[in-house]
Amino acid sequence: MKHKTILITGGSRGIGAATAMVAANRGYQVFINYLKNEEAAMRVVEHIKLNGGRAETFQADVSSETEVMRLFATLDSRWGNLSALVNNAGILEPQRRVEEMEADRLHRIFQANVVSCFLCAREAVLRMSTKRGGVGGAIVNVSSLAARTGAPGEYVDYAASKGAVDTLTLGLSKEVADEGIRVNGVRPAFIYTDIHASGGEAGRVDRIKDSVPMKRGGQPEEVAQAILWLLSDEASYSTGTFIDITGGK
Ligand code: NAP
């Protein structure tokens, strides 16, 4: 069987790891990028292989252009023919009001959450576009409900970075719509992952969950299913659109 290749940035933990496992179940060979946590990335690969799938890990900081080039060059030499990209890697910094945010923090957030998506999308389009000899493909950008709420009192910088990701999704989707590439986004919120601890509040989902119409937090797999649908041929006439995965909030 010919496997389709998917690249998932930040695939070692949380939503990215769940997406890697669901993608492998759907028959993709999965290239799992991570930043630091090799052990977690290897656990995802082992899980996929135990279930008969194909996966490899690759360490790279996707906020760095040099490292993104290295990542894609390795992908080309290992598997070639990228079919799907999930721009999932993202970071939070501790909760602060805007008047307490210094420039270094803002640069880190925008570099990790926005520049990374542009760089990886660029490299994916160069390989997928039918105008450049590719056979098409699909991209999903992982945004956040914060893009709509602004996350006041928590992390307006993070929310603004996700707003930029949504604008990338809209603009790029139209640029490449007649080149065989679909570009969509998901906007999750209140998902049980490690990211809330890096925002300084590990128990954030449980604090907020009663204000969510469904009265619960979400699981990474629930985001992964939406991502895989947007990547699939079932979503063949959808581009530049978003699925909110927020329990109704
Ligand atoms: P997480 O559990 O903290 O995992 C983050 C992942 O991103 C890890 O695999 C990490 O790698 C990787 N990563 C971070 N910076 C990277 C970089 N510069 N280069 C390569 N990989 C990098 O986060 P998560 O909650 O699954 O979040 C995934 C995405 O969903 C993010 O874009 C986040 O903003 C978005 N999101 C999450 C929620 C939520 O409630 N959890 C809500 C809305 C949006 P290491 O393991 O090596 O550190």
Side-chain angles (χ1 to χ4, degrees), residues 149-189:
T149 65
E154 290 192 305
Y155 14 71
V156 175
D157 54 347
Y158 169 85
S161 76
K162 295 302 187 178
V165 169
D166 284 358
T167 305
L168 164 65
T169 301
L170 280 173
L172 180 62
S173 69
K174 293 180 170 70
E175 273 188 12
V176 299
D178 66 347
E179 298 175 29
I181 307 173
R182 294 182 301 102
V183 186
N184 291 292
V186 292
R187 282 192 291 234

Side-chain angles (χ1 to χ4, degrees), residues 9-16 33-38 40 60-63 88-91 112 142-145 158 162 188-196 198 205:
T9 69
S12 46
R13 292 184 289 124
I15 292 168
N33 156 254
Y34 67 99
L35 180 62
K36 292 186 210 136
N37 204 329
E38 183 178 9
D61 177 351
V62 289
S63 68
N88 165 77
I91 60 164
V142 180
S143 173
S144 170
L145 170 67
Y158 169 85
K162 295 302 187 178
F190 324 118
I191 309 300
Y192 288 103
T193 72
D194 300 338
I195 202 167
H196 307 288
S198 52
V205 176

Side-chain angles (χ1 to χ4, degrees), residues 72 82 84-87 114-129 131-132 137-142 163-185 238-242:
F72 277 82
L82 182 67
L85 164 67
V86 183
N87 268 323
V114 183
V115 176
S116 62
C117 292
F118 271 84
L119 294 173
C120 291
R122 179 189 77 194
E123 292 307 307
V125 167
L126 286 169
R127 287 157 177 80
M128 293 172 176
S129 170
K131 287 196 177 149
R132 293 176 173 274
I139 298 172
V140 170
N141 294 323
V142 180
V165 169
D166 284 358
T167 305
L168 164 65
T169 301
L170 280 173
L172 180 62
S173 69
K174 293 180 170 70
E175 273 188 12
V176 299
D178 66 347
E179 298 175 29
I181 307 173
R182 294 182 301 102
V183 186
N184 291 292
S238 293
T239 198
T241 193
F242 301 89

